[in-house]
Amino acid sequence: MTERRPTRGEHQKALAQKNKKSDPKPSKKKWFKRISLTLVAVVAACFIGGAGLFAYYASSAPELDENLLKDPVSSEFYDKNGDLFATIGAENRKYVKYEDIPQDMINAILATEDVRFFEHGGMDFYRLGGAILANFRDGFGAQGASTLTQQVVKNSFLQNEKKLKRKAQEAWLSFKLERKYTKEEIFEMYFNKMLMSGRVYGFGTAAQYFYGKELKDLTLDEEALLAGLVQRPNAYNPLKNPELAEKRRNTVLGLMYQHGKITKAQMEEAKKVNVQAGLADDATRQKFSGSKYDAFLDVVINELEKNGDGSAMAEGIKVYTTLDPKAQQIVENIMNDDSNFPTEKIQSGVSVVDTKTGQIQAIGGGRNYGAERGWNYAYDLKHQPGSTMKPLLDYGPAIENLKWSTGQTLVDEPMNYTGTKQTITNWDNKYMGAITARKALYASRNVPAVKALQEVGIDKAKEFVGRLGINAKNVYESDAIGGGDITMSPTQMAASFAAFGNNGVYTDPYAITKIVYRDGKTTKDYTPESNVAMSDYTAYMVTDMLRDVVGNKPDASGTAANVSGLDIAGKTGTTNYAAADFSKHNLPDTSVPDSWFAGYTTNYSIAIWSGYEEHFDPITTWDERRLPQHLFKQIMKEISANVETPRFKKPNSVVEATIEAGTKPLKLASNFTPSEKRRTELFVRGTEPNEVSDEYAMPELSTPYNVSASLDLEGQSINISWEHDAMLNPETNEPLPTTFEVSAKKEGGETISLGKSESKGLTISNKQLEDGKYTISVVAVVDGTRSKPGTTSFQVTGTTDEDKEPDTPDQPDVEEPTAPDQNGNNGDNGNENGNNGNSGNNGNSGNNGNNGNNGNGNAGNGNNGNTGNNGTPPGNNGNNNGSKPPTTPTEPTAPDDGTGSTE
């Protein structure tokens, strides 16, 4: 058997496999070389591209201008009408030469801002490398690497944006600046240019503003504090934020020690100094005023800081604000008038917010407020709100979540906080028992407020106020009456209350609409978004209850704030000292630390705080307590003058019903509920009660009286009349609809119904009754309830035509004359007073007997008063009451002409 030879294809395949196995593998060195060449190519390409882009951006950089380098660039501020109201820049600045700057001050700045300033050429590449790593790790913009030179350039020529173009131009101009000026000159520019706080520029100005000192007189701790301000000028202000300022100062001291500028002992000694020790007083700072609207401008500056633009003012921006100059001037005029305040030192903070938009219209930072007071009572203050918290945390959430009525029954009674023995008391140390939620709120009762919070639950209440801009970490039962963990400023309070007046829509309060950077094109919008914080029924029902706070109801707590002609809702509030504070600080029994009032119309929401600078300087009198109400009234009246102010409009989601107060669950008032128990209250549509209270039965109806019956032969009828004291509607005090049932019972016979009447009389045909003696009965009927019958006796006797007298006599009757003053001459007018109908001597009802039938005859003077029926027409009602003796006859007279006689 011969061996099979491989085919040509198999042979070629085997040969290729052999050659493949024999090829050598590339070495690691060769791979490294390839990668390195690739990276070099990439880096070279990036460098060339970057260099080209850098050159392009640098070519468009502005030229160096020595005036701009040395002086701050002014920023402009515009009101809501677009009118300029403030310019802040180099005003009131103290310029300091380099040789006059203390070495410790220089060391503090360099250790903090640019420790290699005297070594680099405008850019610190060591610091830049660290910043790049931080930006890769934490995102672009996480850390900056600006040198003092770069900061001078940025604040002189460029807008405050972290863009590649700006950074390229900043680097290029920094190199140019370093070549044109000495390090000392650049440091001097920085030292005099930087924003230090609010409208204070330069370290020399800051030394005088904060400490009232020249630079050479500053201590180490003071120098460190000023050096630390530049990074966040307003946040590190020791007047407003001492804790942050102290932390920043200590950081600077630590850096000075780290870089060998001071010893450890010096650092530790400086850290021990109270950060507010040695600060200048208000009077010293007053000279730095840069605006006629300082309190408002302080809020604007704080808002810039809050939005990351705290240093932007040093770059020449335009700030468009919400300022209403008319409202601001009104507030300042009232705040600066000492006659409006009960004591010399009591302070107040006022914030006026647009109810619909949340825009801050005006700010009263304090009495005679000057620029950079350091403490703005309208914006910086964070105090317990007292009872102004009740609609926000208690009743608002209860209506929103539980759909309470304004008539919800709450019992004001002795009660302890849950799990404690601490009794909840009211301001008057009294309790009102079962009352409506409406009264509990307008009379500012504490126990019902705590019960409302308990009912709705702390979690839901916390969520509710969170939608009103109140971020509460913890909520306790004591917060129900504003004495817990939650604190507020007048500005936040005004915005939160505004949501009730804006159908439940809330907007964070804001003072800036937008800013425009130096290029005139780049803008930043500051307008916050609005959000629906509650249902429209909650907003209106709370508003309606708060109307009563400023109304005229007994026990209303805010009547002093009412402005005639304006639809206002509002709430008072006071806070309390702890029980131990009274003995510890020797406080009078009437002492309270804070007094509040927050109120609003459809146009403006205003919140006002009053108190003293020191917490334990107490409010002790009612004049002091009511100060916020009086200020509110003056301000609201003046800013609302000649401005149309619509009333609050009830939404379709709300209905009214008259309930019986104290019922639980609520029931409708009955016709017999006493007026003091009837309340017309508001309900969320669909939750109004339909069951009527049966607590009060109908009172016994009064019995009809003075029942009488008379026969009218001419009309062939019987006239029945009576009197009755109507039952009154408790709500309207008007008579309730009453029906009278009239019947007759013949002696020895059956009762016959004669009919019904809604008036106090009934006329029936005389044919309805047979001859005989009857008892006539009248029964009053109201809503199914019947009275006892009122009765009278009546004799029915048959009468024929022959019995009647002729209609007219053949000859006119001639009356026997009477003596003067016997009232017999006016028989024809007996229908008016009944004085003359029965005075005809012959029963002819006066001289002519006219109309004698209408005389009641109760005061008849005729000798024969009982014969009135013979008159023409007959005097049907002449009764046997003639009482005077006969008069002396006189000569006959002619018949009367119908006009009656005269005296």
Side-chain angles (χ1 to χ4, degrees), residues 322 353-360 466-470 491-500 502 504-512 526-534 605:
T322 61
V353 170
D354 187 298
T355 303
K356 300 180 184 65
T357 66
Q359 293 184 350
I360 301 172
R467 295 194 297 268
L468 294 174
I470 304 169
T491 299
Q492 181 58 63
M493 185 178 290
S496 298
F497 269 75
F500 291 124
N502 193 32
V505 178
Y506 170 79
T507 307
D508 281 324
Y510 64 105
I512 303 173
Y526 269 58
T527 305
E529 292 185 2
S530 300
N531 68 279
V532 177
M534 68 191 85
S605 179

mmCIF file of all heavy atoms in Angstrom, residues 322 353-360 466-470 491-500 502 504-512 526-534 605:
data_model
loop_
_atom_site.group_PDB
_atom_site.id
_atom_site.type_symbol
_atom_site.label_atom_id
_atom_site.label_comp_id
_atom_site.label_asym_id
_atom_site.label_seq_id
_atom_site.Cartn_x
_atom_site.Cartn_y
_atom_site.Cartn_z
ATOM 1 N N THR A 322 -36.674 95.128 42.219
ATOM 2 C CA THR A 322 -38.137 95.208 42.379
ATOM 3 C C THR A 322 -38.553 96.426 43.195
ATOM 4 O O THR A 322 -39.725 96.544 43.566
ATOM 5 C CB THR A 322 -38.649 93.939 43.078
ATOM 6 O OG1 THR A 322 -38.041 93.852 44.380
ATOM 7 C CG2 THR A 322 -38.294 92.694 42.283
ATOM 8 N N VAL A 353 -44.143 93.278 50.495
ATOM 9 C CA VAL A 353 -44.021 92.339 49.378
ATOM 10 C C VAL A 353 -45.271 92.423 48.513
ATOM 11 O O VAL A 353 -46.380 92.588 49.033
ATOM 12 C CB VAL A 353 -43.822 90.898 49.911
ATOM 13 C CG1 VAL A 353 -43.946 89.871 48.805
ATOM 14 C CG2 VAL A 353 -42.473 90.769 50.600
ATOM 15 N N ASP A 354 -45.104 92.318 47.211
ATOM 16 C CA ASP A 354 -46.233 92.261 46.293
ATOM 17 C C ASP A 354 -46.960 90.932 46.496
ATOM 18 O O ASP A 354 -46.365 89.861 46.375
ATOM 19 C CB ASP A 354 -45.750 92.383 44.849
ATOM 20 C CG ASP A 354 -46.893 92.490 43.850
ATOM 21 O OD1 ASP A 354 -47.693 91.536 43.761
ATOM 22 O OD2 ASP A 354 -46.986 93.515 43.150
ATOM 23 N N THR A 355 -48.259 90.993 46.820
ATOM 24 C CA THR A 355 -49.021 89.782 47.139
ATOM 25 C C THR A 355 -49.019 88.786 45.987
ATOM 26 O O THR A 355 -48.945 87.575 46.200
ATOM 27 C CB THR A 355 -50.472 90.155 47.502
ATOM 28 O OG1 THR A 355 -50.471 91.086 48.593
ATOM 29 C CG2 THR A 355 -51.273 88.930 47.904
ATOM 30 N N LYS A 356 -49.075 89.263 44.774
ATOM 31 C CA LYS A 356 -49.213 88.369 43.615
ATOM 32 C C LYS A 356 -47.873 87.816 43.132
ATOM 33 O O LYS A 356 -47.805 86.681 42.664
ATOM 34 C CB LYS A 356 -49.909 89.105 42.471
ATOM 35 C CG LYS A 356 -51.306 89.607 42.803
ATOM 36 C CD LYS A 356 -51.909 90.331 41.615
ATOM 37 C CE LYS A 356 -53.263 90.936 41.959
ATOM 38 N NZ LYS A 356 -53.160 91.999 42.966
ATOM 39 N N THR A 357 -46.814 88.601 43.206
ATOM 40 C CA THR A 357 -45.552 88.206 42.577
ATOM 41 C C THR A 357 -44.448 87.814 43.543
ATOM 42 O O THR A 357 -43.480 87.179 43.138
ATOM 43 C CB THR A 357 -45.018 89.353 41.702
ATOM 44 O OG1 THR A 357 -44.654 90.466 42.544
ATOM 45 C CG2 THR A 357 -46.057 89.807 40.684
ATOM 46 N N GLY A 358 -44.555 88.203 44.808
ATOM 47 C CA GLY A 358 -43.473 87.949 45.763
ATOM 48 C C GLY A 358 -42.345 88.958 45.685
ATOM 49 O O GLY A 358 -41.359 88.850 46.409
ATOM 50 N N GLN A 359 -42.475 89.956 44.801
ATOM 51 C CA GLN A 359 -41.426 90.971 44.679
ATOM 52 C C GLN A 359 -41.385 91.845 45.932
ATOM 53 O O GLN A 359 -42.420 92.303 46.411
ATOM 54 C CB GLN A 359 -41.671 91.850 43.457
ATOM 55 C CG GLN A 359 -41.533 91.122 42.140
ATOM 56 C CD GLN A 359 -41.689 92.051 40.953
ATOM 57 O OE1 GLN A 359 -42.088 93.211 41.087
ATOM 58 N NE2 GLN A 359 -41.381 91.553 39.768
ATOM 59 N N ILE A 360 -40.168 92.079 46.436
ATOM 60 C CA ILE A 360 -40.003 92.962 47.591
ATOM 61 C C ILE A 360 -40.124 94.399 47.107
ATOM 62 O O ILE A 360 -39.334 94.856 46.288
ATOM 63 C CB ILE A 360 -38.643 92.731 48.271
ATOM 64 C CG1 ILE A 360 -38.524 91.268 48.723
ATOM 65 C CG2 ILE A 360 -38.468 93.666 49.459
ATOM 66 C CD1 ILE A 360 -37.141 90.896 49.240
ATOM 67 N N GLY A 466 -43.357 74.103 54.393
ATOM 68 C CA GLY A 466 -42.238 73.982 53.467
ATOM 69 C C GLY A 466 -42.577 74.545 52.103
ATOM 70 O O GLY A 466 -41.727 75.137 51.425
ATOM 71 N N ARG A 467 -43.830 74.385 51.706
ATOM 72 C CA ARG A 467 -44.271 74.952 50.421
ATOM 73 C C ARG A 467 -44.438 76.457 50.496
ATOM 74 O O ARG A 467 -44.636 77.118 49.472
ATOM 75 C CB ARG A 467 -45.579 74.295 49.975
ATOM 76 C CG ARG A 467 -45.448 72.812 49.656
ATOM 77 C CD ARG A 467 -46.655 72.286 48.909
ATOM 78 N NE ARG A 467 -47.870 72.360 49.675
ATOM 79 C CZ ARG A 467 -48.340 71.393 50.450
ATOM 80 N NH1 ARG A 467 -47.653 70.246 50.572
ATOM 81 N NH2 ARG A 467 -49.475 71.524 51.116
ATOM 82 N N LEU A 468 -44.360 77.009 51.696
ATOM 83 C CA LEU A 468 -44.451 78.459 51.892
ATOM 84 C C LEU A 468 -43.078 79.062 52.182
ATOM 85 O O LEU A 468 -42.986 80.163 52.721
ATOM 86 C CB LEU A 468 -45.413 78.774 53.043
ATOM 87 C CG LEU A 468 -46.875 78.400 52.793
ATOM 88 C CD1 LEU A 468 -47.698 78.624 54.055
ATOM 89 C CD2 LEU A 468 -47.452 79.198 51.639
ATOM 90 N N GLY A 469 -42.034 78.334 51.824
ATOM 91 C CA GLY A 469 -40.683 78.868 51.970
ATOM 92 C C GLY A 469 -40.096 78.746 53.354
ATOM 93 O O GLY A 469 -39.023 79.296 53.627
ATOM 94 N N ILE A 470 -40.765 78.033 54.261
ATOM 95 C CA ILE A 470 -40.282 77.893 55.641
ATOM 96 C C ILE A 470 -39.680 76.500 55.793
ATOM 97 O O ILE A 470 -40.407 75.510 55.912
ATOM 98 C CB ILE A 470 -41.428 78.105 56.649
ATOM 99 C CG1 ILE A 470 -42.093 79.468 56.422
ATOM 100 C CG2 ILE A 470 -40.919 77.989 58.079
ATOM 101 C CD1 ILE A 470 -43.391 79.644 57.177
ATOM 102 N N THR A 491 -39.359 89.575 56.121
ATOM 103 C CA THR A 491 -39.442 89.383 54.669
ATOM 104 C C THR A 491 -40.020 88.017 54.333
ATOM 105 O O THR A 491 -40.904 87.896 53.477
ATOM 106 C CB THR A 491 -38.048 89.543 54.034
ATOM 107 O OG1 THR A 491 -37.573 90.866 54.296
ATOM 108 C CG2 THR A 491 -38.110 89.322 52.536
ATOM 109 N N GLN A 492 -39.547 86.978 54.996
ATOM 110 C CA GLN A 492 -40.089 85.646 54.745
ATOM 111 C C GLN A 492 -41.541 85.554 55.191
ATOM 112 O O GLN A 492 -42.376 84.937 54.514
ATOM 113 C CB GLN A 492 -39.259 84.591 55.474
ATOM 114 C CG GLN A 492 -39.753 83.158 55.247
ATOM 115 C CD GLN A 492 -39.768 82.766 53.801
ATOM 116 O OE1 GLN A 492 -38.728 82.724 53.150
ATOM 117 N NE2 GLN A 492 -40.940 82.504 53.247
ATOM 118 N N MET A 493 -41.865 86.181 56.314
ATOM 119 C CA MET A 493 -43.235 86.131 56.803
ATOM 120 C C MET A 493 -44.198 86.827 55.837
ATOM 121 O O MET A 493 -45.282 86.319 55.551
ATOM 122 C CB MET A 493 -43.336 86.770 58.195
ATOM 123 C CG MET A 493 -44.712 86.647 58.820
ATOM 124 S SD MET A 493 -44.801 87.352 60.474
ATOM 125 C CE MET A 493 -43.815 86.175 61.395
ATOM 126 N N ALA A 494 -43.782 87.972 55.317
ATOM 127 C CA ALA A 494 -44.643 88.689 54.370
ATOM 128 C C ALA A 494 -44.900 87.847 53.136
ATOM 129 O O ALA A 494 -46.026 87.811 52.617
ATOM 130 C CB ALA A 494 -43.993 90.019 53.982
ATOM 131 N N ALA A 495 -43.888 87.141 52.652
ATOM 132 C CA ALA A 495 -44.050 86.300 51.468
ATOM 133 C C ALA A 495 -44.941 85.095 51.765
ATOM 134 O O ALA A 495 -45.770 84.706 50.928
ATOM 135 C CB ALA A 495 -42.688 85.840 50.969
ATOM 136 N N SER A 496 -44.788 84.501 52.934
ATOM 137 C CA SER A 496 -45.598 83.333 53.290
ATOM 138 C C SER A 496 -47.066 83.714 53.420
ATOM 139 O O SER A 496 -47.954 82.996 52.927
ATOM 140 C CB SER A 496 -45.092 82.723 54.603
ATOM 141 O OG SER A 496 -43.763 82.273 54.474
ATOM 142 N N PHE A 497 -47.367 84.833 54.068
ATOM 143 C CA PHE A 497 -48.751 85.283 54.197
ATOM 144 C C PHE A 497 -49.333 85.685 52.844
ATOM 145 O O PHE A 497 -50.543 85.569 52.627
ATOM 146 C CB PHE A 497 -48.839 86.445 55.187
ATOM 147 C CG PHE A 497 -49.079 86.020 56.604
ATOM 148 C CD1 PHE A 497 -48.048 85.468 57.362
ATOM 149 C CD2 PHE A 497 -50.318 86.148 57.196
ATOM 150 C CE1 PHE A 497 -48.251 85.062 58.667
ATOM 151 C CE2 PHE A 497 -50.544 85.744 58.502
ATOM 152 C CZ PHE A 497 -49.504 85.192 59.242
ATOM 153 N N ALA A 498 -48.482 86.164 51.940
ATOM 154 C CA ALA A 498 -48.971 86.594 50.624
ATOM 155 C C ALA A 498 -49.647 85.449 49.880
ATOM 156 O O ALA A 498 -50.571 85.670 49.091
ATOM 157 C CB ALA A 498 -47.815 87.158 49.797
ATOM 158 N N ALA A 499 -49.211 84.220 50.122
ATOM 159 C CA ALA A 499 -49.811 83.078 49.423
ATOM 160 C C ALA A 499 -51.292 82.934 49.754
ATOM 161 O O ALA A 499 -52.082 82.508 48.904
ATOM 162 C CB ALA A 499 -49.054 81.799 49.786
ATOM 163 N N PHE A 500 -51.693 83.277 50.989
ATOM 164 C CA PHE A 500 -53.115 83.230 51.339
ATOM 165 C C PHE A 500 -53.908 84.247 50.516
ATOM 166 O O PHE A 500 -55.057 84.005 50.159
ATOM 167 C CB PHE A 500 -53.312 83.518 52.830
ATOM 168 C CG PHE A 500 -52.799 82.446 53.748
ATOM 169 C CD1 PHE A 500 -51.871 82.740 54.728
ATOM 170 C CD2 PHE A 500 -53.231 81.141 53.633
ATOM 171 C CE1 PHE A 500 -51.382 81.759 55.581
ATOM 172 C CE2 PHE A 500 -52.754 80.138 54.472
ATOM 173 C CZ PHE A 500 -51.827 80.454 55.453
ATOM 174 N N ASN A 502 -53.117 85.201 47.530
ATOM 175 C CA ASN A 502 -52.872 84.967 46.103
ATOM 176 C C ASN A 502 -53.423 83.606 45.684
ATOM 177 O O ASN A 502 -52.813 82.902 44.878
ATOM 178 C CB ASN A 502 -51.364 85.049 45.812
ATOM 179 C CG ASN A 502 -51.061 85.126 44.332
ATOM 180 O OD1 ASN A 502 -51.821 85.681 43.546
ATOM 181 N ND2 ASN A 502 -49.938 84.544 43.933
ATOM 182 N N GLY A 504 -53.439 80.835 47.063
ATOM 183 C CA GLY A 504 -52.637 79.677 47.413
ATOM 184 C C GLY A 504 -51.340 79.548 46.660
ATOM 185 O O GLY A 504 -50.604 78.577 46.856
ATOM 186 N N VAL A 505 -51.006 80.520 45.804
ATOM 187 C CA VAL A 505 -49.767 80.457 45.015
ATOM 188 C C VAL A 505 -48.667 81.209 45.759
ATOM 189 O O VAL A 505 -48.841 82.373 46.138
ATOM 190 C CB VAL A 505 -49.969 81.063 43.620
ATOM 191 C CG1 VAL A 505 -48.663 81.045 42.831
ATOM 192 C CG2 VAL A 505 -51.052 80.290 42.866
ATOM 193 N N TYR A 506 -47.525 80.530 45.954
ATOM 194 C CA TYR A 506 -46.398 81.110 46.705
ATOM 195 C C TYR A 506 -45.216 81.387 45.784
ATOM 196 O O TYR A 506 -44.907 80.601 44.883
ATOM 197 C CB TYR A 506 -45.953 80.163 47.814
ATOM 198 C CG TYR A 506 -44.657 80.591 48.473
ATOM 199 C CD1 TYR A 506 -44.647 81.609 49.431
ATOM 200 C CD2 TYR A 506 -43.445 80.011 48.117
ATOM 201 C CE1 TYR A 506 -43.462 82.019 50.023
ATOM 202 C CE2 TYR A 506 -42.257 80.415 48.707
ATOM 203 C CZ TYR A 506 -42.268 81.418 49.659
ATOM 204 O OH TYR A 506 -41.101 81.832 50.235
ATOM 205 N N THR A 507 -44.541 82.516 46.038
ATOM 206 C CA THR A 507 -43.297 82.849 45.357
ATOM 207 C C THR A 507 -42.287 83.301 46.395
ATOM 208 O O THR A 507 -42.597 84.122 47.262
ATOM 209 C CB THR A 507 -43.503 83.987 44.337
ATOM 210 O OG1 THR A 507 -44.579 83.651 43.464
ATOM 211 C CG2 THR A 507 -42.241 84.207 43.514
ATOM 212 N N ASP A 508 -41.070 82.754 46.318
ATOM 213 C CA ASP A 508 -40.021 83.210 47.225
ATOM 214 C C ASP A 508 -39.835 84.716 47.075
ATOM 215 O O ASP A 508 -39.845 85.237 45.958
ATOM 216 C CB ASP A 508 -38.693 82.519 46.893
ATOM 217 C CG ASP A 508 -38.628 81.102 47.432
ATOM 218 O OD1 ASP A 508 -39.167 80.861 48.524
ATOM 219 O OD2 ASP A 508 -38.049 80.230 46.754
ATOM 220 N N PRO A 509 -39.655 85.440 48.188
ATOM 221 C CA PRO A 509 -39.456 86.894 48.075
ATOM 222 C C PRO A 509 -38.143 87.196 47.371
ATOM 223 O O PRO A 509 -37.129 86.542 47.628
ATOM 224 C CB PRO A 509 -39.427 87.354 49.539
ATOM 225 C CG PRO A 509 -38.968 86.151 50.303
ATOM 226 C CD PRO A 509 -39.550 84.967 49.579
ATOM 227 N N TYR A 510 -38.153 88.170 46.474
ATOM 228 C CA TYR A 510 -36.921 88.499 45.758
ATOM 229 C C TYR A 510 -36.861 89.990 45.464
ATOM 230 O O TYR A 510 -37.892 90.648 45.296
ATOM 231 C CB TYR A 510 -36.803 87.690 44.467
ATOM 232 C CG TYR A 510 -37.863 87.947 43.417
ATOM 233 C CD1 TYR A 510 -37.576 88.687 42.271
ATOM 234 C CD2 TYR A 510 -39.147 87.427 43.552
ATOM 235 C CE1 TYR A 510 -38.532 88.910 41.300
ATOM 236 C CE2 TYR A 510 -40.110 87.641 42.578
ATOM 237 C CZ TYR A 510 -39.798 88.380 41.446
ATOM 238 O OH TYR A 510 -40.753 88.601 40.485
ATOM 239 N N ALA A 511 -35.625 90.499 45.402
ATOM 240 C CA ALA A 511 -35.403 91.931 45.201
ATOM 241 C C ALA A 511 -34.741 92.237 43.869
ATOM 242 O O ALA A 511 -34.601 93.400 43.505
ATOM 243 C CB ALA A 511 -34.552 92.488 46.338
ATOM 244 N N ILE A 512 -34.297 91.214 43.148
ATOM 245 C CA ILE A 512 -33.612 91.403 41.864
ATOM 246 C C ILE A 512 -34.357 90.631 40.788
ATOM 247 O O ILE A 512 -34.685 89.449 40.981
ATOM 248 C CB ILE A 512 -32.153 90.909 41.927
ATOM 249 C CG1 ILE A 512 -31.384 91.631 43.039
ATOM 250 C CG2 ILE A 512 -31.452 91.117 40.587
ATOM 251 C CD1 ILE A 512 -29.982 91.076 43.263
ATOM 252 N N TYR A 526 -32.967 86.478 37.724
ATOM 253 C CA TYR A 526 -33.094 86.208 39.159
ATOM 254 C C TYR A 526 -34.537 85.888 39.570
ATOM 255 O O TYR A 526 -34.789 85.617 40.739
ATOM 256 C CB TYR A 526 -32.610 87.417 39.961
ATOM 257 C CG TYR A 526 -31.142 87.383 40.316
ATOM 258 C CD1 TYR A 526 -30.166 87.295 39.334
ATOM 259 C CD2 TYR A 526 -30.733 87.452 41.641
ATOM 260 C CE1 TYR A 526 -28.815 87.276 39.664
ATOM 261 C CE2 TYR A 526 -29.386 87.450 41.986
ATOM 262 C CZ TYR A 526 -28.437 87.355 40.984
ATOM 263 O OH TYR A 526 -27.112 87.334 41.314
ATOM 264 N N THR A 527 -35.472 85.951 38.655
ATOM 265 C CA THR A 527 -36.888 85.782 39.009
ATOM 266 C C THR A 527 -37.184 84.336 39.364
ATOM 267 O O THR A 527 -36.989 83.432 38.539
ATOM 268 C CB THR A 527 -37.799 86.206 37.847
ATOM 269 O OG1 THR A 527 -37.467 87.533 37.466
ATOM 270 C CG2 THR A 527 -39.259 86.129 38.256
ATOM 271 N N PRO A 528 -37.650 84.064 40.570
ATOM 272 C CA PRO A 528 -37.943 82.680 40.962
ATOM 273 C C PRO A 528 -39.264 82.199 40.367
ATOM 274 O O PRO A 528 -40.116 82.999 39.979
ATOM 275 C CB PRO A 528 -38.029 82.763 42.492
ATOM 276 C CG PRO A 528 -38.497 84.155 42.755
ATOM 277 C CD PRO A 528 -37.890 85.012 41.670
ATOM 278 N N GLU A 529 -39.433 80.896 40.315
ATOM 279 C CA GLU A 529 -40.690 80.328 39.842
ATOM 280 C C GLU A 529 -41.693 80.276 40.988
ATOM 281 O O GLU A 529 -41.328 80.062 42.141
ATOM 282 C CB GLU A 529 -40.464 78.926 39.287
ATOM 283 C CG GLU A 529 -39.652 78.886 37.999
ATOM 284 C CD GLU A 529 -39.565 77.487 37.418
ATOM 285 O OE1 GLU A 529 -40.174 76.566 37.995
ATOM 286 O OE2 GLU A 529 -38.900 77.330 36.387
ATOM 287 N N SER A 530 -42.964 80.467 40.647
ATOM 288 C CA SER A 530 -44.035 80.353 41.642
ATOM 289 C C SER A 530 -44.472 78.901 41.743
ATOM 290 O O SER A 530 -44.255 78.104 40.828
ATOM 291 C CB SER A 530 -45.219 81.238 41.250
ATOM 292 O OG SER A 530 -44.834 82.587 41.170
ATOM 293 N N ASN A 531 -45.086 78.553 42.867
ATOM 294 C CA ASN A 531 -45.623 77.203 43.015
ATOM 295 C C ASN A 531 -46.933 77.242 43.780
ATOM 296 O O ASN A 531 -47.160 78.136 44.602
ATOM 297 C CB ASN A 531 -44.636 76.285 43.735
ATOM 298 C CG ASN A 531 -44.431 76.664 45.187
ATOM 299 O OD1 ASN A 531 -43.659 77.571 45.490
ATOM 300 N ND2 ASN A 531 -45.107 75.997 46.111
ATOM 301 N N VAL A 532 -47.787 76.276 43.489
ATOM 302 C CA VAL A 532 -49.072 76.178 44.188
ATOM 303 C C VAL A 532 -48.807 75.537 45.545
ATOM 304 O O VAL A 532 -48.457 74.363 45.635
ATOM 305 C CB VAL A 532 -50.083 75.350 43.383
ATOM 306 C CG1 VAL A 532 -51.387 75.212 44.159
ATOM 307 C CG2 VAL A 532 -50.342 75.990 42.027
ATOM 308 N N ALA A 533 -48.974 76.319 46.586
ATOM 309 C CA ALA A 533 -48.655 75.853 47.938
ATOM 310 C C ALA A 533 -49.851 75.235 48.639
ATOM 311 O O ALA A 533 -49.690 74.449 49.577
ATOM 312 C CB ALA A 533 -48.121 77.011 48.779
ATOM 313 N N MET A 534 -51.058 75.586 48.188
ATOM 314 C CA MET A 534 -52.265 75.090 48.848
ATOM 315 C C MET A 534 -53.444 75.244 47.897
ATOM 316 O O MET A 534 -53.363 75.934 46.876
ATOM 317 C CB MET A 534 -52.524 75.862 50.149
ATOM 318 C CG MET A 534 -52.921 77.310 49.927
ATOM 319 S SD MET A 534 -52.946 78.332 51.423
ATOM 320 C CE MET A 534 -51.231 78.812 51.533
ATOM 321 N N SER A 605 -48.489 92.600 50.846
ATOM 322 C CA SER A 605 -48.362 91.819 52.073
ATOM 323 C C SER A 605 -47.249 92.458 52.893
ATOM 324 O O SER A 605 -46.128 92.635 52.400
ATOM 325 C CB SER A 605 -48.021 90.360 51.755
ATOM 326 O OG SER A 605 -47.885 89.604 52.939
#
